[in-house]
Amino acid sequence: MSEPFVHIANLTVKYQQKLVLQDLNWVINRHENWLLCGTSGSGKTTLAKAIAGLIPVYNNEIQLNFTLDTHLPAQVYYVANWYQFKDLEGGANFYYQQRYNSQATATTATVRVELNEFGKENNLEWDKLDHILSALGYAKVIDATLIQLSSGEHKKLQLVKAIWLKPQLLILDQPYNGLDTRSRQNLNVLLEEISAEGTQLIIVGNETELPATINRFAEIKDGVLQEISSESRKVNAAEILSKPVPAFLNQSAVPVSEEHIIRMIDVNITYSGKRVLKDINWEVISGEKWLLQGHNGSGKSTLLSLICGDHPQAYANNFHLFGNKRGSGESIWDIKKRIGLISPELHWYFDASATVWQTVASGFFDSSGLFCNPGSTKHAQVDELIGYFGLTAYQNTLMNVLPLSKQRLALLARTIIKNPEILILDEPCQGLDEQQTQHFNKLVDELCGYGTTLIYVGHFESQLPSCLEKRILLEHGEVKSIESILQSI
């Protein structure tokens, strides 16, 4: 009998004196491809990083037995849930609005340069890329700078590298986050192709749309791994606990006098001669609930940046917000105080050195971090909302030491703390498990019952709040359709 590919024996990992994994055992045999699931914060990412050698382990707790008679690199390659990049001078201290700054684009590498460097480092042939780029619809951004990419396009860059490399063991942490439906399907085909060539897979997450080559399932619970069946990993919706919404959110947001909160007339956005948004006409009436969809790179993030006051080209367009034409005297802070926003980009650029409590409280002031005392009333509201999201035990913990899922929950709390007139939720449930996703969307439904206007971006039809009424679909920067949600889902 051949030796196992991966053998983990009695692996224990502590982080800041907290036990994350305890005497964990796992054997991965040849030709096995695994889904590693579990609730958010259960230790999935910690285990994945340990296998990839990114977390130190001791006493031969993890043994890897690579195959010598193959052309595949004797390597474990880990694709993180979070993509980080640096500018041409090695800096990584970016801010949220910087992606719309022409000077910033001049100091960050293009996708082509990034892939060239990766190919040279790993002795890869450029002509093997065409198939991957085509499958993921990525050739169109090959000359875009990294800072201009959307969250889905950043995820695709990670995946392009991994599939091009074809290591003996590929670990993918939340690989479907930010991907549209077609890209998820094509990714599964690509993973099946490299699996057939010998690459073994570990997918980390609670996914349901998996490549057919996944043939084993495991769950981490209380620091221990156990093999499970495919069916037992599904969450029973009846088991999801319902919590009462904090009382201060059980009130209508400040009523708006304008019937049309958003009005865009022939809006165009252009970068370096390329139109990213083309003749956009869209009206949002106070209290409406919209689903914004489109393939990766279709212009969704740019459209939202106009509404949130972050995009400088808003002033060059016929664009009205809260009844006022942009550029008529309102400040960016006048706009932001009426909007609650979460997006993958906001998460990337948020001050990770703030505590959970400071992060949530900063939502009152639309700041990245807390720089003033919010007062006793707001203090009590922060405490109540932190409890609602199950974060009380972490309220004094720095964001940068939390699992990404709990960072996300803190930012969701920050988004709604001021009970805004408009909620703009751009893939708000990225990285959350199914219980957390359903819990949050239930909260959205309740908040929007009090007249809050909603714009919700989501690629997974099964992970949407039920209050949605209308859908706007973008394709290549243009409005492809506007329709009733009941007709489209």
Side-chain angles (χ1 to χ4, degrees), residues 236-431:
N236 184 351
E239 296 176 356
I240 297 175
L241 298 178
S242 179
K243 299 180 182 179
V245 173
F248 71 93
L249 294 177
N250 266 324
Q251 307 166 16
S252 296
V254 179
V256 294
S257 58
E258 304 84 12
E259 181 183 13
H260 291 90
I261 289 185
I262 299 167
R263 190 179 184 193
M264 298 183 180
I265 303 172
D266 296 329
V267 167
N268 289 276
I269 299 295
T270 302
Y271 299 130
S272 302
K274 178 183 177 182
R275 284 207 295 175
V276 178
L277 293 180
K278 307 172 186 177
D279 300 323
I280 300 295
N281 290 279
W282 185 31
E283 294 183 349
V284 175
I285 296 174
S286 177
E288 289 184 334
K289 303 1 175 199
W290 283 84
L291 175 63
L292 169 60
Q293 289 189 314
H295 59 75
N296 298 129
S298 61
K300 301 186 301 296
S301 296
T302 302
L303 186 68
L304 295 181
S305 71
L306 290 171
I307 299 170
C308 296
D310 295 313
H311 204 296
Q313 292 190 40
Y315 302 104
N317 279 280
N318 191 353
F319 170 40
H320 297 253
L321 192 59
F322 299 112
N324 299 311
K325 189 176 188 300
R326 285 306 315 275
S328 58
E330 78 289 351
S331 73
I332 187 174
W333 303 111
D334 292 330
I335 294 170
K336 287 185 177 296
K337 70 182 181 182
R338 306 174 76 172
I339 296 174
L341 166 72
I342 190 170
S343 68
E345 292 80 8
L346 178 67
H347 194 166
W348 287 345
Y349 303 124
F350 195 81
D351 181 7
S353 65
T355 66
V356 168
W357 200 95
Q358 291 168 337
T359 295
V360 177
S362 72
F364 285 119
F365 311 103
D366 302 301
S367 56
S368 181
L370 186 64
F371 307 104
C372 63
N373 188 332
S376 59
T377 299
K378 288 183 171 62
H379 195 293
Q381 291 174 343
V382 173
D383 288 344
E384 188 175 2
L385 193 55
I386 284 176
Y388 178 83
F389 278 103
L391 294 170
T392 301
Y394 305 94
Q395 63 180 354
N396 296 318
T397 303
L398 298 180
M399 289 282 281
N400 58 12
V401 301
L402 279 180
L404 284 175
S405 59
K406 296 194 183 302
Q407 292 181 33
R408 196 71 167 177
L409 288 174
L411 287 172
L412 288 172
R414 176 188 182 272
T415 300
I416 64 174
I417 187 69
K418 62 184 176 183
N419 203 7
E421 297 169 38
I422 304 180
L423 278 175
I424 297 179
L425 306 177
D426 185 356
E427 298 197 63
C429 298
Q430 268 194 21

Side-chain angles (χ1 to χ4, degrees), residues 1-21:
M1 183 176 180
S2 63
E3 60 186 359
F5 183 20
V6 180
H7 185 234
I8 303 175
N10 302 318
L11 175 64
T12 297
V13 176
K14 290 183 179 180
Y15 192 74
Q16 294 191 340
Q17 304 306 311
K18 180 183 178 182
L19 199 62
V20 180
L21 303 175

Side-chain angles (χ1 to χ4, degrees), residues 27 37 55 251 354 448:
V27 174
C37 57
I55 292 176
Q251 307 166 16
C448 289

Side-chain angles (χ1 to χ4, degrees), residues 78-132:
Y78 172 71
V79 174
N81 180 15
W82 209 243
Y83 181 74
Q84 294 179 316
F85 63 92
K86 297 182 179 181
D87 62 25
L88 296 175
E89 296 178 352
N93 189 24
F94 302 104
Y95 59 90
Y96 183 50
Q97 290 86 4
Q98 191 171 3
R99 60 200 302 246
Y100 308 114
N101 185 326
S102 59
Q103 292 180 335
T105 61
T107 60
T108 51
T110 65
V111 171
R112 185 186 300 275
V113 169
E114 182 83 356
L115 289 175
N116 264 325
E117 290 298 316
F118 184 79
K120 289 177 182 177
E121 290 171 4
N122 295 280
N123 298 313
L124 301 175
E125 299 175 19
W126 185 267
D127 60 4
K128 298 291 180 63
L129 262 181
D130 291 342
H131 173 58
I132 304 170

